[in-house]
Amino acid sequence: MSTFKVGEVVSGKIAGIQSYGAFVALDNSTQGLVHISEITHGFVKDIHDFLEVGQEVKVKILDIDEEKNKISLSIRATEEAPKEQPAKKKNVSSSENDEGFNTLRDKLEEWIKKADK
């Protein structure tokens, strides 16, 4: 395991997939884990939507725990983060913001009157 260094980007092959992450074979005797949160930018519900066993991947080594013989990996860290879309600003005055609730209040009274008939 000492041949790998934290921060290094290496190639590996998906060896197994669990609900919490994917195991990546870095060589014949070394495997690491890509936690589900490190697969891609954004939310991952099902790892199978992004990876499959036998797939070649590029991973960054995040941590090496020699005592526990574990290597933490990230695919996400090898990809450029998507550019965030700027939040759309609403040109609405504060009095107009309340309109939605006022409309609902008016409609509610109208619905109650209809229901009483």
Side-chain angles (χ1 to χ4, degrees):
M1 191 157 38
S2 59
T3 60
F4 297 102
K5 294 180 176 76
V6 172
E8 188 177 15
V9 175
V10 296
S11 292
K13 192 176 278 194
I14 302 295
I17 297 176
Q18 296 293 324
S19 60
Y20 53 85
F23 290 94
V24 178
L26 302 176
D27 61 23
N28 290 335
S29 61
T30 310
Q31 276 193 2
L33 176 69
V34 178
H35 186 266
I36 189 169
S37 65
E38 291 294 335
I39 289 177
T40 190
H41 297 278
F43 180 73
V44 175
K45 182 176 181 179
D46 185 354
I47 296 170
H48 292 93
D49 293 340
F50 297 89
L51 302 172
E52 58 187 49
V53 174
Q55 179 181 345
E56 287 277 337
V57 291
K58 214 168 45 165
V59 294
K60 182 173 185 175
I61 298 173
L62 299 179
D63 187 49
I64 298 173
D65 186 336
E66 302 241 5
E67 275 183 32
K68 295 181 181 175
N69 207 25
K70 291 183 178 181
I71 299 179
S72 299
L73 306 170
S74 175
I75 296 171
R76 182 176 78 161
T78 66
E79 302 168 345
E80 190 173 318
K83 292 183 176 134
E84 287 189 35
Q85 298 292 328
K88 292 183 180 178
K89 292 183 180 177
K90 293 182 180 178
N91 294 328
V92 178
S93 68
S94 61
S95 63
E96 290 175 7
N97 279 340
D98 297 336
E99 187 177 84
F101 291 107
N102 289 336
T103 304
L104 184 58
R105 189 179 303 120
D106 296 341
K107 283 288 184 191
L108 185 59
E109 288 176 18
E110 183 182 320
W111 295 330
I112 290 170
K113 286 176 187 172
K114 283 183 183 177
D116 287 342
K117 289 182 183 177

